[in-house]
Amino acid sequence: MATSMFRASASLHESVREEIQRRITNGAYQPDALIPSTVVLAAEFGVSPITIKRSLRDLQAAGALVSIAGKGTYVKKRTRVLRTLDMSKLSFEAATIQLLSITREKISDPTMRAFDPPLEAMLCVRKTINLEGAPFMYDATYVSSHVGEEIIEEFGERFVVQALERHNINVVNTDLIIDAAPAVGKVEEVFGIPTGYPMLRRFYKFTTTNPAVSCYGVVQAPFDQFACTISIPGNRASASHRKIKK
């Protein structure tokens, strides 16, 4: 029987997890690479396959690994994008958009109620924004039925604001809600993450120059993949007042 390479005083699965994470960090296991099988790792570390599986589950939940049924476990490629927090000017160089579906449904997410959305069903355009061949944002846009079919088709090819501007409909106000929530449903499949993985969510409402056209939506991305910056100018009058007092 193989002897464990870890100290008996340490939790075996935690020690295995830390060693695999170390190999990922130092590049021994490269992004998108298939790591050794459970059997191989169990033999190398001198632990049971159950211990290996538990360690791998921890790393999958942390977003370091992704498991593909019938193929194995891979090191997850990490692409972190930092953007200025302004949904009305959202754009990414070299990004591509993939349309997933266009359906008619009501807005049901309770967080969106803060925007006082319509009660009737709206057109829902779901798509992914891909960077370097991998998805890093999932977008679900709800748009009023008054929008023409030609604009709806463009929603699947362009960012919402860009599609509207091409038809002389401009955004005059953007409302945002930012929160974090566990991954559920379609986002699990899109990003290859387990149920409950933390997601950064940005809910938005666009008010446009056309009173009949309004847009609501939510952009989601794994918390370790996307971040936002915001710049808040100071009050110049207050700053001048403080300077005078000195």
Side-chain angles (χ1 to χ4, degrees):
M1 177 180 292
T3 302
S4 172
M5 63 182 286
F6 303 113
R7 303 187 311 275
S9 60
S11 168
L12 286 179
H13 100 272
E14 290 178 355
S15 297
V16 170
R17 181 187 65 209
E18 291 171 2
E19 173 60 19
I20 295 175
Q21 180 62 68
R22 185 187 68 79
R23 296 181 183 185
I24 294 172
T25 302
N26 67 21
Y29 293 160
Q30 289 290 313
D32 285 339
L34 180 68
I35 70 169
S37 68
T38 299
V39 173
V40 171
L41 289 174
E44 177 186 354
F45 294 148
V47 299
S48 70
I50 293 177
T51 298
I52 297 295
K53 290 179 180 178
R54 186 178 176 188
S55 302
L56 297 183
R57 280 198 299 268
D58 285 354
L59 290 169
Q60 289 175 43
L65 298 173
V66 58
S67 180
I68 301 177
K71 293 185 177 181
T73 302
Y74 294 78
V75 178
K76 186 174 180 181
K77 183 177 181 180
R78 292 176 178 269
T79 302
R80 187 171 178 83
V81 178
L82 183 67
R83 300 298 297 180
T84 300
L85 186 57
D86 187 348
M87 284 294 298
S88 65
K89 298 179 181 177
L90 183 62
S91 64
F92 299 90
E93 293 183 3
T96 59
I97 296 175
Q98 179 184 358
L99 177 65
L100 299 178
S101 64
I102 299 178
T103 59
R104 187 178 294 274
E105 56 189 85
K106 295 182 179 180
I107 294 177
S108 59
D109 194 304
T111 304
M112 202 95 75
R113 294 173 187 166
F115 295 147
D116 193 24
L119 298 178
E120 65 270 14
M122 306 180 74
L123 292 173
C124 179
V125 183
R126 301 181 189 277
K127 59 193 175 188
T128 59
I129 292 86
N130 304 309
L131 192 64
E132 297 182 2
F136 75 96
M137 289 174 58
Y138 172 80
D139 183 25
T141 301
Y142 295 83
V143 60
S144 41
S145 302
H146 299 90
V147 174
E149 290 295 330
E150 68 280 3
I151 303 182
I152 294 297
E153 291 180 4
E154 291 191 24
F155 280 177
E157 303 171 353
R158 295 179 173 83
F159 292 103
V160 173
V161 173
Q162 295 172 342
L164 292 174
E165 287 178 346
R166 285 169 57 85
H167 295 268
N168 297 318
I169 301 174
N170 298 308
V171 172
V172 295
N173 188 69
T174 302
D175 294 303
L176 295 173
I177 299 174
I178 304 171
D179 73 0
V184 295
K186 187 67 175 178
V187 293
E188 300 173 49
E189 176 187 339
V190 168
F191 294 105
I193 54 178
T195 300
Y197 192 77
M199 303 291 291
L200 173 68
R201 305 191 305 177
R202 291 181 300 156
F203 295 87
Y204 58 87
K205 174 186 176 181
F206 294 149
T207 303
T208 74
T209 51
N210 185 335
V213 177
S214 57
C215 296
Y216 304 80
V218 56
V219 170
Q220 300 186 64
F223 80 103
D224 57 350
Q225 187 166 303
F226 192 67
C228 301
T229 65
I230 183 170
S231 177
I232 303 175
N235 187 312
R236 294 182 179 178
S238 296
S240 299
H241 179 67
R242 288 195 297 271
K243 187 175 180 180
I244 293 173
K245 287 185 66 177
K246 289 182 179 180

